[in-house]
Each structure stands twice: as structure tokens, then as C-alpha cells.
Amino acid sequence: MRISIAQLNYHIGNFEGNLKRMEAAIDEAIQHNADIIVFGELATTGYPPRDFLEFRDFINRSQEVVDQLTARSKDIAIVVGAPSVNPVIEGKDLHNTAYFLADGKVHGTHHKSLLPTYDIFDEYRYFEPAREFGIIEYKGKKIALTVCEDIWNIGNENPLYDVCPMDEMMPFDPDFMINVSASPFSFDHAKDRLDILKENVKRYKLPIFYANHVGAQTEIIFDGGSVVMSPDGSIFREMEYFKEGVETFDLDEVSNNKRNNEQPKDKIQLIHDGLVTGLKDYFGKLGFSKAIIGLSGGIDSAVTAVLAERALGKENVRVVLMPSQYSSDHSVNDARELAENLGIRYDIVPIQEPYNAFYGLLEGLFEGKPFNVAEENIQARSRGLILMALSNKHGNILLNTTNKSEMAVGYGTLYGDLAGGLSVIADVYKTDVFKLAEFMNKDGEVIPKNTITKPPSAELRPNQKDSDSLPDYAILDEILFEYIENRKGPAEIIAMGHEEKLVKRILRLVNINEFKRYQTAPVLRVSNKSFGVGRRMPIVAKYLN
């Protein structure tokens, strides 16, 4: 038996486009004499469709895709994920289903049993879990058909669930397993995914064919990395990250040959490639092409500009240098040099004149109070106004350049430097932004060396540096990581050796600035706990305040 895995970039609600992609993959699989082709979870709709699932028309159009694929299944069996209507009155209206289509009909189905409701997942909001289990028999083989999370409760050891789907299927003596997935990217998730697959193979001694999505849906990125595992636990094939493809495998070869075709998993390379993918699909799937960025000469805007140029092409990226009376000459020169290195258009628009106009308008209302954050924010908002005016006039989407460290502690100005249609690096801590910059320069200097080595500064007052108000980023990022990613409280972080006063101050800053994060653009997700849909915190709360 020959099995093809189609690792495709789906588009939520683009039923015609998704079907066209799948039909092209079917044609390719047939050319390679495949008996079965496997697509991803909810491939007909794209993942995650969220509240579109509450629209009957949306479900009907998805079913039309399933019907058309069914008609195509006369020459090859097709495994595809799609929502299906729950025929039982009790429970949710839908199942998250893997269809097995063959000989021009629905040969069998498996409804997803384990419905994740954590981080970015909210499946129990929409779907009814499966309560019955069986296998698919096709061409003399018994197939255990599973959907994504179904394989993440090995031996019923995951405390989130009370059933292990594969344990329920094993009495039927399956020959191999197919898993249709929509497994989102984070820089350490590919390793976790392989570990889970290895644990499944260790327990069940079956070959596994695991099909994942690739591409991005708003803030959620999919890295692909579809996997074929041999029953001895070796990785017969791990498909490429961030790249569409159809590959065909012989079941006997998978069952009997030992290979190790694991992809390398360098953290910074993965983050870089994930962000480029996220940018490319955000623009492409929304029908946009051109971006605009405020380029300060600092490392955050420099890294964002490089990512944009690599995702969209130099002809589609425009940057604006907006020096104030506090900007250093080297910042302007660094920004200009970067733009020239990238071959992108840049304009220089000094903001001292609009700043003076705003200050003159407000001076009497400031009632003689000393210079403080109010005057600093006028500068940031003057820049935001200029960028948004150009965005509106020329149709360029403004990219936000704030990093995760700054976003966490509120080190940014609403309606100023926090403006934008997409937050590109707001899930990347400052220490990793520096590593990204070095990675971008590995084949030759793109980002000027001075941009990387100079002390970070917002340049909103004379001789300002980030270290005036924030601790060293290495310390700050470690504390933030323990609080945000590892969900540790102040006592636990202090016990790790961090100074008590500093920990409490930082955590308080994180909490009191939740209102800013609610008003910023979607954040491309590259960690296992990003700001946005996967981290739901109250704005008004007493904890640590």
C-alpha cells in the first residue's frame, strides 16, 4: 500500500481555494501510484475557523467540498478533516471529523475525541467529542484513524482527558495509524510533537502517518513537519518546515526500514522562518502586498524591516525615518544604511516641527508641570500619525515593531509606536531579537553592526537609554519567561535567586499594562505562550497590583 501525505497551506473560509489545492495534490499522488492521500485536520475550512462554525452556510459549503472530494475518491482513497453535523439532539451541533473517502463514497469516519480547550485552542466551544471507537478497513488493511489531539493522551496519562482513543482502537488490531492534524508552530513544539509520536509508536508498535498544516492564519503559524514513523520508533521522514509538499510512502518500506530523517531544529532559524511565513500569509491571505515601517535605527525596527523584505520583497516595503531633536546622528545613519542594504524605499520626515506645534497647543494645559512621559508620548504619537497617514494614502499596512519584553512591561505608547496592523516580533524577547539580528547577518552584514551593539534607547529625551527604566534585558527576560511562559508566581521566581523588589515591580508592570495589549495588533505566535488569543488575562484585577 502506498500512502501520500499532503502538507498544504489552507485558507480559512476559502473553500474553492482549499479544494483546488487538494485536487492538485490528489493528481500528484495518483501520478505516484498512491492508494491513499492524507490531508490535515479541518482542511476544508482551514484552522481555526472559530465562530464561523456557528454559520450554517459555512458548514454547508464545507460539506460541498467533502462531496466533491468524495466524487474524486474513485481513483484514490482520501482522508480529509472537516466539520460534520452531529445527528444526535444532545450535545454540540458539530463533530471535528476525519473522513475516509473511497470508491466514490464515504467509506468511514472518525470523530475527534480529545478536544483541546487551552492556550489558543477552544474546540469544546464548538464540537461534541466522540464516544465510540472503531477502525477503517481498506484494501485488506486495518487503519486507526485519529485527529490531532487524539494521540496526546497516551495510555490515558494526560490529566486533561479521561479516555485514550488509541487504547480503544487497539483491540481491533490495526495495521497502522493515520493522524490528521493542525498543530500550531512554536519554536520548541516540533520536538514535543516528535516525542509524542515516538511514545505512540513505543506503546502501539504501529507505523504512523501524521499530516500537518503549513502556513499561517492571522497570528497562528503552522510549520508543517509532517511525520512518518516506523514501528521501531525511527523517523522514516519528517517533511520540511514552512513548505508545502506532497510525498508518497510505501507502507512495507516504512514498516521494515530504519531511517532517521529528522529536520534540524535551531531555535532562531525556526523563529526567523516562522515570522517570515506569518508575514507572508497575513498579507497574501488578506489581499495586501505593501508594508510600511517606522525605522528608528534601533534593533527592533531593523529586524522587522529585514523580515518584511524577506517575506514581501524589497519593492513592497517602505520605511520612514522620523528623527526628533533627541535622535542621535548615528541612529539616522544606521537606519539609512539598513534601508540601502535592503534596497527598500526610505523617506526622512523630521518630527520636531509637529512636536513643537502639539506642545505649543498643549503647553498652557500642562500648567507648568515638568517634562515627563507626556512630552515623550507626543513624539511617539506624532510618528504614529505620520505612518498611519502614509498607510491610509498609499495602502501600505503598518507593521508594529515592539518586542515581547517591551510589550510585557508596557514600554510603548498607545496610538504611537504600538500602532499597526500586525505585531511582527511581539512574541520575541529582546535577548532573542539580538540573536535574530546576528542570524540575519550570517551571510554578510545586512543590519549595521552599530545597530546591534549600541545600548537600546527610545530616544525620547536627552541621553535616554532603556536601562534607565528597565533592568538588563537578560535579567528582565528571564523573569518574564518564568511568569508568562511557565506561569510562576513571585515567590517562585524570587526563590530562583532574583531580587524581590525587582520581581514584584516587573510582574506589576506586566499586569497593569494588560489594557495596552488589548488594544494592539495581532501578535505572530512563535512561543508556547504569546500575547493574544492564547493568553486571556483580566484588565481589572488586584493580583500583584
Side-chain angles (χ1 to χ4, degrees):
M1 179 172 283
R2 291 173 62 79
I3 300 162
S4 292
I5 292 179
Q7 179 173 287
L8 301 183
N9 187 346
Y10 305 100
H11 186 182
I12 292 171
N14 185 352
F15 298 103
E16 295 83 2
N18 293 340
L19 177 61
K20 186 176 180 180
R21 266 183 157 79
M22 288 189 277
E23 288 183 325
I26 290 168
D27 291 339
E28 185 173 346
I30 290 173
Q31 289 177 8
H32 289 90
N33 300 313
D35 298 286
I36 303 172
I37 185 170
V38 184
F39 297 106
E41 176 183 13
L42 295 181
T44 58
T45 64
Y47 190 95
R50 296 184 177 148
D51 282 4
F52 279 142
L53 291 168
E54 297 177 351
F55 289 74
R56 180 59 59 184
D57 178 68
F58 189 84
I59 302 304
N60 290 342
R61 294 185 65 187
S62 171
Q63 186 58 47
E64 289 172 3
V65 175
V66 173
D67 293 343
Q68 292 179 72
L69 291 173
T70 302
R72 287 295 311 267
S73 70
K74 294 176 182 178
D75 299 319
I76 186 173
I78 300 168
V79 179
V80 62
S84 66
V85 176
N86 178 11
V88 180
I89 296 175
E90 293 82 6
K92 304 292 186 355
D93 291 339
L94 301 172
H95 289 294
N96 183 342
T97 299
Y99 284 86
F100 195 102
L101 312 173
D103 302 319
K105 62 184 179 181
V106 177
H107 189 76
T109 59
H110 168 77
H111 304 314
K112 188 173 185 178
S113 176
L114 308 186
L115 302 176
T117 304
Y118 56 83
D119 195 64
I120 63 172
F121 303 105
D122 200 7
E123 292 199 22
Y124 196 66
R125 177 183 176 99
Y126 310 104
F127 298 116
E128 183 69 12
R131 307 188 191 281
E132 297 179 357
F133 301 91
I135 59 169
I136 305 293
E137 295 191 42
Y138 183 68
K139 288 192 173 182
K141 297 295 183 182
K142 298 178 181 179
I143 305 167
L145 187 56
T146 59
V147 181
C148 202
E149 189 91 351
D150 284 346
I151 63 172
W152 286 74
N153 184 24
I154 303 164
N156 210 23
E157 294 180 352
N158 189 330
L160 293 176
Y161 307 110
D162 59 7
V163 65
C164 174
M166 278 304 298
D167 280 1
E168 300 293 326
M169 296 182 195
M170 286 308 292
F172 297 97
D173 196 25
D175 295 300
F176 63 96
M177 184 216 293
I178 290 175
N179 182 271
V180 298
S181 276
S183 181
F185 167 72
S186 66
F187 63 77
D188 56 0
H189 190 59
K191 179 183 180 301
D192 294 340
R193 193 163 54 212
L194 281 181
D195 288 345
I196 284 292
L197 289 167
K198 289 176 182 177
E199 287 298 313
N200 274 270
V201 170
K202 181 179 178 181
R203 182 174 179 85
Y204 304 117
K205 306 292 191 291
L206 297 177
I208 297 178
F209 296 83
Y210 173 97
N212 195 21
H213 292 220
V214 71
Q217 313 288 0
T218 311
E219 67 273 76
I220 300 174
I221 300 165
F222 297 92
D223 56 340
S226 300
V227 181
V228 177
M229 296 282 292
S230 297
D232 67 346
S234 60
I235 302 167
F236 190 85
R237 172 65 169 151
E238 184 183 21
M239 292 173 67
E240 290 187 55
Y241 298 141
F242 307 109
K243 186 176 180 181
E244 287 189 285
V246 179
E247 297 189 18
T248 303
F249 307 92
D250 185 275
L251 178 59
D252 289 338
E253 287 186 16
V254 173
S255 299
N256 299 310
N257 290 346
K258 290 185 178 181
R259 295 187 185 179
N260 184 22
N261 280 316
E262 181 178 350
Q263 297 289 339
K265 293 172 176 58
D266 177 74
K267 173 183 174 181
I268 300 303
Q269 172 88 59
L270 288 171
I271 290 174
H272 171 275
D273 294 351
L275 293 174
V276 169
T277 297
L279 262 168
K280 185 180 296 184
D281 273 4
Y282 185 83
F283 276 72
K285 291 179 178 179
L286 280 173
F288 298 122
S289 60
K290 297 184 181 296
I292 190 167
I293 303 166
L295 197 62
S296 68
I299 194 166
D300 297 320
S301 61
V303 165
T304 303
V306 174
L307 291 167
E309 186 272 334
R310 293 179 178 182
L312 307 174
K314 62 184 179 181
E315 69 279 4
N316 291 318
V317 180
R318 179 178 185 176
V319 296
V320 186
L321 289 59
M322 297 169 285
S324 74
Q325 60 269 42
Y326 304 117
S327 298
S328 58
D329 290 339
H330 64 72
S331 290
V332 177
N333 292 336
D334 292 342
R336 183 189 289 111
E337 184 179 348
L338 173 68
E340 291 171 350
N341 288 346
L342 293 175
I344 58 179
R345 174 177 175 175
Y346 71 90
D347 300 280
I348 301 177
V349 183
I351 66 163
Q352 185 165 357
E353 187 174 338
Y355 169 80
N356 289 338
F358 278 119
Y359 183 78
L361 183 68
L362 294 166
E363 186 175 13
L365 299 174
F366 283 172
E367 299 174 358
K369 293 184 176 180
F371 183 103
N372 67 359
V373 69
E375 285 82 358
E376 294 182 13
N377 286 349
I378 290 174
Q379 298 169 67
R381 290 180 178 130
S382 296
R383 292 181 171 121
L385 187 150
I386 292 166
L387 290 167
M388 285 307 304
L390 292 172
S391 171
N392 294 157
K393 183 61 68 176
H394 300 295
N396 297 52
I397 302 301
L398 175 60
L399 298 181
N400 178 271
T401 66
T402 306
N403 63 64
K404 190 170 188 175
S405 309
E406 295 173 349
M407 186 73 83
V409 298
Y411 197 69
T413 303
L414 278 176
Y415 328 119
D417 55 300
L418 290 180
L422 182 69
S423 297
V424 179
I425 60 171
D427 197 28
V428 183
Y429 288 110
K430 187 79 168 190
T431 46
D432 283 335
V433 173
F434 282 104
K435 294 175 185 177
L436 266 175
E438 295 286 0
F439 175 81
M440 290 168 169
N441 281 354
K442 64 183 176 65
D443 297 322
E445 186 172 291
V446 178
I447 298 176
K449 185 175 180 61
N450 189 57
T451 296
I452 300 173
T453 58
K454 67 186 176 186
S457 171
E459 294 190 330
L460 297 174
R461 61 175 181 267
N463 302 314
Q464 183 184 26
K465 293 181 175 56
D466 289 4
S467 56
D468 297 340
S469 52
L470 297 174
D472 181 87
Y473 278 111
I475 297 171
L476 174 65
D477 288 355
E478 184 176 347
I479 293 171
L480 292 173
F481 183 85
E482 295 300 333
Y483 182 54
I484 296 168
E485 272 85 346
N486 291 339
R487 273 83 83 190
K488 289 183 179 177
E492 295 169 285
I493 299 173
I494 292 165
M496 296 175 65
H498 293 287
E499 193 258 317
E500 179 178 357
K501 184 178 179 181
L502 177 63
V503 169
K504 290 184 175 179
R505 174 175 165 252
I506 290 172
L507 301 196
R508 181 177 183 275
L509 284 173
V510 175
N511 286 7
I512 66 174
N513 282 289
E514 196 66 42
F515 78 100
K516 286 188 177 182
R517 293 188 288 273
Y518 267 67
Q519 299 181 66
T520 52
V523 174
L524 291 179
R525 178 186 186 268
V526 296
S527 77
N528 61 23
K529 186 58 69 174
S530 64
F531 296 126
V533 294
R535 186 175 184 272
R536 306 174 190 182
M537 306 295 284
I539 293 176
V540 179
K542 180 66 177 174
Y543 182 54
L544 301 180
N545 289 349

